[in-house]
Amino acid sequence: MPKGYWIPHLDVSNPDGFQAYRTKADAWHEHNGSTLLARAGRRELVDGKMRSRNVLREFGSFDEALAAYRSPEYSAARPLRAPYAQCDFLIVEGFDGPQPERIGTVPAAAARKGYWIAHVDITDPEGYKAYQAANGVPIGQFGGHFLVRGGRQDVVEGKQRSRTAVLEFPSYEAALSCYRSPRYQAAKALRLGKAEVDLIIIEGVEGGH
């Protein structure tokens, strides 16, 4: 069964006020079975726009992730952040289909993974297929694989584009190097004019996955 993910993007206006929400939410997360993959690490916005703080949390399934958001315990925590942060919050379904083929010697795994989070509005579905076919080679070369690739999603707060992809890499450096590689840049050229994309590369938490 595919996993489920929380992806909140936040702009925090008052870090001291925000801390009460974070304390209450973290205490609840400790016993609800989810896994924190990324929060407050290094980041680089490489396409489009994104809020300044980005979180990635994994659940056993999409339905489990949605139920956790709607639970009485988390519903009690949400009002604590509302005065102190703007938030675009989506819940997405994981991907369990074919992954990019590993080619050659992939980068070594680090204590902290690296992630791409991409939000996409496809404007030319037929033209976009060339990009989808081409991006697997550089992703495989740098040890990347899809956690999310266009499954169900529910935007529970704020707004977001219609499609989401999340990739995990062996390290933050590998994630950045893949994006900057000539082969990925050649693939990226194939999607220009075919889709509107917001893409951020973020560093995971230590031992997060």
Side-chain angles (χ1 to χ4, degrees):
M1 176 185 295
K3 302 288 188 180
Y5 296 88
W6 282 13
I7 310 177
H9 301 293
L10 306 105
D11 286 327
V12 178
S13 57
N14 184 331
D16 291 337
F18 183 79
Q19 188 58 45
Y21 159 75
R22 181 167 170 173
T23 299
K24 187 175 183 66
D26 282 355
W28 173 71
H29 279 301
E30 284 182 5
H31 64 79
N32 76 354
S34 64
T35 301
L36 181 64
L37 301 183
R39 181 175 68 184
R42 291 177 290 172
R43 67 187 187 277
E44 184 170 326
L45 180 63
V46 294
D47 279 303
K49 60 183 180 179
M50 203 85 74
R51 296 192 184 276
S52 59
R53 187 176 297 204
N54 307 278
V55 180
L56 181 62
R57 186 175 285 275
E58 184 179 81
F59 291 78
S61 69
F62 176 77
D63 291 337
E64 183 181 320
L66 199 57
Y69 179 84
R70 295 170 175 169
S71 69
E73 295 85 356
Y74 188 71
S75 295
R78 289 203 313 271
L80 297 176
R81 71 164 151 80
Y84 308 114
Q86 293 182 308
C87 184
D88 298 320
F89 196 133
L90 66 160
I91 297 170
V92 296
E93 183 177 37
F95 178 71
D96 62 356
Q99 294 289 350
E101 182 182 353
R102 299 296 174 93
I103 300 171
T105 302
V106 302
R112 296 173 182 264
K113 305 291 187 183
Y115 298 92
W116 289 11
I117 300 178
H119 301 299
V120 184
D121 285 331
I122 299 174
T123 56
D124 179 353
E126 284 302 313
Y128 190 76
K129 289 177 182 178
Y131 164 72
Q132 291 178 304
N135 68 18
V137 171
I139 290 169
Q141 285 181 320
F142 287 90
H145 66 276
F146 286 93
L147 299 183
V148 174
R149 194 178 194 184
R152 289 179 292 169
Q153 72 175 34
D154 192 333
V155 181
V156 293
E157 295 181 47
K159 60 184 180 179
Q160 199 47 263
R161 297 191 184 277
S162 59
R163 180 184 176 96
T164 295
V166 179
L167 291 101
E168 183 179 78
F169 289 84
S171 67
Y172 178 69
E173 290 76 14
L176 281 175
S177 295
C178 180
Y179 180 84
R180 294 168 177 167
S181 68
R183 280 194 168 176
Y184 182 75
Q185 289 299 308
K188 176 186 170 181
L190 298 174
R191 69 165 161 81
L192 297 180
K194 312 298 190 302
E196 299 293 329
V197 178
D198 302 319
L199 172 57
I200 194 165
I201 299 173
I202 61 175
E203 182 179 43
V205 300
E206 189 166 355
H209 202 185

